Amino acid sequence: MKLMLLTGLFLATLFQSLFGQGKFNDIPAIIPMPVEYKTAAGLFAFSETTKIITADTVSKPAAELLNFYLKSVTGKNYEMLASTSAYANSIVFKIDSSVVVQPEGYQLNVSTQQIELLAHDAGGIINGIQTLRQLWQEAGNKSLTIAACAIKDYPRFAYRGMGLDVSRHMFPVSFIKKYIDLLALYKLNTFHWHLTDDQGWRIEIKKYPRLQTVAAFRSETIIGHKKQSPHRFDGKRYGGYYTQQEAKDIVQYAAQRNITVIPEIEMPGHALAALAAYPNLGCTGGPYKTATFWGVFEDVYCAGNDSTFIFLQNVLDEVMAIFPSPKIHIGGDECPKIRWEHCPKCQRRMKELNLKDEHDLQSYFVQRIERYLNSKGRNIIGWDEILEGGLAPNATVMSWRGEAGGIAAAKQQHDVIMTPESHFYFDYYQSLYAAEPIAAGGYTRLEKVYGYEPAATGLDSSLTHFIKGIEGQAWSEYFTSTSQAEYMIFPRMLALAEVAWSPAKGKNYDSFLKRLRQQQTMLKKLDVHAADVFDEINYSSVPTADGTVEVDLQSSLPGMEIRYTTDGSPPGMNSRLYKNTVAIHKTCVLNAILIKDKKPVKRVFHQTFTIHKAIGAGIILNNEGEARFNLLPATLVNGVEGTDRYNDMQWMGFAGKDVEVIVDLGSIKNISTVSMNFLNYHWQKMWAPQWVSILISLDGKQYKNIYTKQNFPISGINKLKAITSSKARYIKIVATNKGVIPVGEYGAGGKALLMIDEITVD
Ligand code: ACM
Ligand code: ZN
């Protein structure tokens, strides 16, 4: 023991004196970035005789994991020795919580003779092993080397998680293990397994065989995006479940990698598959059918029926026997109250318990389950809707509808996991290219994930310690294959991992990208189909007073050039080289390509720019936009239409307020059409206007109404086109906001967002 400690101290001192602070080479390709890293001279080279030495029993199983990883690269197992003596050409593992004081922390000293890994605990050993995996270089002939260095490292947040939904699409056990290995590689420590939902129940519960024969299957699956109407279906039965033995095996596999598996059993909503199997658990008694498309369904567990609780407690008994996690996720999100409002049993329960509304009933439901789980020594974690009607006393809140739920929970002294859908839902688009495969919602590029700061919530600093960590979500509605799942999750998960682990003050996106480019090689070797779209072309478009649009093109790919065309032809090596901005004088599609090392790389960029009479017009707005959608008013006349990726920085959004836009064309012009779009997407609280009027004026004082429209039926983009034959300098658009979101809709009682883009005048 003593000798090892001395060796460690000696090495650390040696590094200090040889390579004093500030003289480091390039940062290594480690993600997440370690707290402290120093290079040293030389290499440690694995040889036939390299030994793995464990100085204590805690580090032994973790050291076996190193052998597992080494074997996958070198094809060889290394000799393991339990010993406290020093050996040359060895990798020495040791727990020492007096030297490494941070839980899950480790210190790694790599010299030409030895690798020493000191850790606070087994988790620290595993984290150190992951760093070794990222550092070693294959030196041909299946031998490995590691550049000498000294690392001190520990996590910023105790909870570093990734979710995975296996209800909407299910993945094989081999994929679940691969996923767990990847979580471990990036030092995440929690796998949140979303096992039940409307579209399928995926965990074997022996007491309830119909969960396996009925709830685990759906008759068919929707094709395409749920917003497309009418819905189309594939006509193919789909389903399956994980046996308890498989789940136990996964729990053990995860534990060996410092990962806790938190199972999620959804209640009281997202319960349709369970109701299909056991219709007596619903308010109406059914019949019910496992859902075949995506959404929120009105049939939920009956809260007035004691057999609901008996069922869930029996289910949870079996779940707890599989999953030893201190926390059990009970869902709690998106539970419509309409059945409860009309159910005699639910209403009787409310009366007996003096509950004032159905939110109180939901709170009763969650608290009753919490009491049960607490009695078994477990705690609950739930989505932020569990705040409604009052938080269960020991609950942790997973804040997904932004940060508000997390902030409210922290103010009530509850633990919080931040997973805002705006940053951490990896089922959202990561690129604005039209060629992206169908994804769930808005647009969350890698840089945005990386830029999330959990402490910048506005919470008083005395409360920020309630934020225990962060989690990314992988909802699988549109993950129709494991390859597509990987494409959506990677590399955004790596950005999340760095936010979760590394100190906030060292965060730097350029540094992250540099390391990510090296990690891409590793991901490829591990057969991960990661997206590589983060370097693709981004653009901005600014209208000018002379009626043209100036387009800027950007890419983060080092050493690239951009070539483009505006005549519709495909861009190639000889197309015009992009220098500063492209001035667009007439309507066109801008096609552009990235070129690196004299070769076109990545996909072709296409963007339509429409030149019309209002480009660069003066815009006067009567109201400010809602923060996320409060863009420069000129965005309304920049030649680009907003897409269904609603946060594409084209739409202006106004929360709860009517909108009046005055477009000043600068001089009197002949006008034949005035067009604009409104986005109707209730799941994002976006509501088309109640009515829209268009008025015109020669002098800006006297206006004449030329058009009114009241009906915007499309879920998605509603196009309005007014045809006229007028002369005008001023065009006034008045759009009335829906106001308060109606009962039964997402965000009921809150302010509706009125989303408008591109006012086109011809
Ligand atoms: C959720 O996305 N419904 C938690
Ligand atoms: Zn009921």
Side-chain angles (χ1 to χ4, degrees), residues 221-234 293 714-715:
T221 302
I222 186 173
I223 300 169
H225 201 281
K226 71 172 177 192
K227 279 189 304 197
Q228 291 159 357
S229 71
H231 284 169
R232 291 176 304 129
F233 294 89
D234 65 4
F293 59 97
I714 295 169
S715 174

Side-chain angles (χ1 to χ4, degrees), residues 282-283 301-305 339-340 343 345-346:
C283 290
Y301 289 115
C302 176
N305 192 347
R339 291 289 179 270
W340 293 357
C343 171
K345 288 187 209 164
C346 286

Side-chain angles (χ1 to χ4, degrees), residues 168 264 266 270 333-334 383 385 400 421 425 473 475 683:
R168 279 58 176 258
E264 179 178 352
E266 271 271 19
H270 286 294
D333 59 317
E334 299 180 319
W383 302 107
E385 286 93 332
W400 72 280
E421 52 97 7
Y425 271 35
Q473 299 307 334
W475 301 106
W683 190 80

Side-chain angles (χ1 to χ4, degrees), residues 414-427:
H414 281 253
D415 287 349
V416 172
I417 308 301
M418 286 295 189
T419 180
E421 52 97 7
S422 55
H423 291 74
F424 289 160
Y425 271 35
F426 300 155
D427 54 333

Side-chain angles (χ1 to χ4, degrees), residues 336-485:
K337 306 296 186 293
I338 183 104
R339 291 289 179 270
W340 293 357
E341 284 163 17
H342 296 99
C343 171
K345 288 187 209 164
C346 286
Q347 291 302 314
R348 187 172 352 109
R349 173 93 72 200
M350 285 169 62
K351 211 162 177 189
E352 275 168 17
L353 298 173
N354 219 1
L355 304 177
K356 75 173 182 310
D357 60 17
E358 285 73 17
H359 291 303
D360 280 9
L361 187 58
Q362 158 136 349
S363 177
Y364 159 80
F365 195 117
V366 172
Q367 295 203 28
R368 183 162 165 179
I369 293 295
E370 180 185 68
R371 273 198 304 280
Y372 185 73
L373 289 173
N374 286 172
S375 78
K376 306 284 175 184
R378 308 295 182 99
N379 280 309
I380 66 163
I381 181 164
W383 302 107
D384 57 59
E385 286 93 332
I386 65 170
L387 280 148
E388 291 162 11
L391 214 41
N394 305 308
T396 297
V397 170
M398 193 165 262
S399 189
W400 72 280
R401 297 174 301 174
E403 296 175 319
I407 293 168
K411 285 183 176 164
Q412 296 175 43
Q413 321 264 307
H414 281 253
D415 287 349
V416 172
I417 308 301
M418 286 295 189
T419 180
E421 52 97 7
S422 55
H423 291 74
F424 289 160
Y425 271 35
F426 300 155
D427 54 333
Y428 288 10
Y429 287 94
Q430 56 194 316
S431 156
L432 289 176
Y433 280 40
E436 275 297 292
I438 290 180
Y443 167 48
T444 307
R445 56 195 299 244
L446 181 67
E447 188 171 4
K448 186 176 182 189
V449 179
Y450 191 80
Y452 184 74
E453 176 41 57
T457 56
L459 259 182
D460 188 277
S461 61
S462 67
L463 297 175
T464 50
H465 71 273
F466 285 110
I467 300 176
K468 297 299 177 199
I470 59 176
E471 186 175 289
Q473 299 307 334
W475 301 106
S476 63
E477 284 91 337
Y478 302 101
F479 295 1
T480 48
S481 64
T482 53
S483 158
Q484 180 60 12

Side-chain angles (χ1 to χ4, degrees), residues 232-381:
R232 291 176 304 129
F233 294 89
D234 65 4
K236 291 186 205 139
R237 183 172 148 89
Y238 182 95
Y241 61 91
Y242 302 95
T243 65
Q244 295 199 353
Q245 195 47 51
E246 285 170 332
K248 281 179 185 163
D249 181 39
I250 284 167
V251 165
Q252 189 193 10
Y253 191 85
Q256 287 163 349
R257 286 153 182 78
N258 190 41
I259 289 176
T260 302
V261 185
I262 297 186
E264 179 178 352
I265 304 297
E266 271 271 19
M267 62 189 82
H270 286 294
L272 205 42
L275 299 191
Y278 296 99
N280 64 310
L281 303 176
C283 290
T284 65
Y288 306 105
K289 184 174 162 243
T290 307
T292 56
F293 59 97
W294 326 127
V296 172
F297 297 87
E298 290 178 346
D299 286 301
V300 302
Y301 289 115
C302 176
N305 192 347
D306 279 329
S307 53
T308 299
F309 294 94
I310 293 165
F311 168 82
L312 287 171
Q313 288 173 6
N314 287 335
V315 164
L316 289 167
D317 282 345
E318 293 193 33
V319 166
M320 284 186 281
I322 304 166
F323 299 95
S325 58
K327 289 183 173 47
I328 304 286
H329 203 306
I330 53 82
D333 59 317
E334 299 180 319
C335 179
K337 306 296 186 293
I338 183 104
R339 291 289 179 270
W340 293 357
E341 284 163 17
H342 296 99
C343 171
K345 288 187 209 164
C346 286
Q347 291 302 314
R348 187 172 352 109
R349 173 93 72 200
M350 285 169 62
K351 211 162 177 189
E352 275 168 17
L353 298 173
N354 219 1
L355 304 177
K356 75 173 182 310
D357 60 17
E358 285 73 17
H359 291 303
D360 280 9
L361 187 58
Q362 158 136 349
S363 177
Y364 159 80
F365 195 117
V366 172
Q367 295 203 28
R368 183 162 165 179
I369 293 295
E370 180 185 68
R371 273 198 304 280
Y372 185 73
L373 289 173
N374 286 172
S375 78
K376 306 284 175 184
R378 308 295 182 99
N379 280 309
I380 66 163
I381 181 164

